[in-house]
Amino acid sequence: MMILKVISFALVALFLYLLFKDKRGDLAALILLAAGVVIFIYCISQVSEVVNFLKNIADRAGIDTVYIQIVLKILAIAYLASFASEICKDAGAGSLASKVEFSGKMFILVLAIPILMAVLDSILQIL
C-alpha cells in the first residue's frame, strides 16, 4: 500500500528531525521541509487518477467540464494552502501560516463565484 511508504518515509524523517533538533535546529527544520515536499510530490502524482475519474463521471452525467475544473482548482488551492500553512507552523511562523490560510480562502471564494451564479440561475429558472 502506498500509505505505508508515506508513513515509513515520514517516520525516517521524524527520526532524523529528532536526532538533529537539539544540535542543529536549522538542519532539523530543513529535514522537515524536505520530507514534507517529498511526501506532497508523491501524493500529487496520485491525483491524476482522481481527476480522470471525475472527468469521466462529468461526461457521463452531462455536467459542463468548466464546473469540474473549478472544483478541482478549489481543491488544489485548499490542499496547497493547508500544506504551506503547516510548513509555516512547523517553522514557527504561526502568523504567516494564518495569512496563507486566509489567502487560500479568499482565492477559493473568488473561484466559487461562477458556481454560485450557476446555482442562482438554476433557482431562478425553477421559480
Side-chain angles (χ1 to χ4, degrees), residues 81-98:
S82 174
F83 181 74
S85 172
E86 291 300 321
I87 287 175
C88 292
K89 287 177 186 175
D90 287 344
S95 62
L96 182 60
S98 65

Side-chain angles (χ1 to χ4, degrees), residues 11-87:
L11 290 175
V12 169
L14 178 63
F15 174 75
L16 291 173
Y17 168 76
L18 293 174
L19 188 67
F20 289 108
K21 180 175 73 168
D22 294 331
K23 298 174 188 170
R24 300 269 321 258
D26 56 334
L27 186 60
L30 288 176
I31 289 171
L32 287 181
L33 178 65
V37 169
V38 168
I39 290 171
F40 183 75
I41 290 171
Y42 180 74
C43 292
I44 286 294
S45 66
Q46 306 301 316
V47 172
S48 64
E49 294 177 29
V50 175
V51 171
N52 290 334
F53 174 76
L54 290 174
K55 285 184 180 179
N56 287 337
I57 295 285
D59 289 341
R60 289 181 187 172
I63 299 172
D64 193 2
T65 57
V66 171
Y67 298 122
I68 298 297
Q69 289 173 351
I70 291 172
V71 169
L72 290 174
K73 286 179 185 179
I74 288 172
L75 287 172
I77 289 171
Y79 285 131
L80 288 171
S82 174
F83 181 74
S85 172
E86 291 300 321
I87 287 175

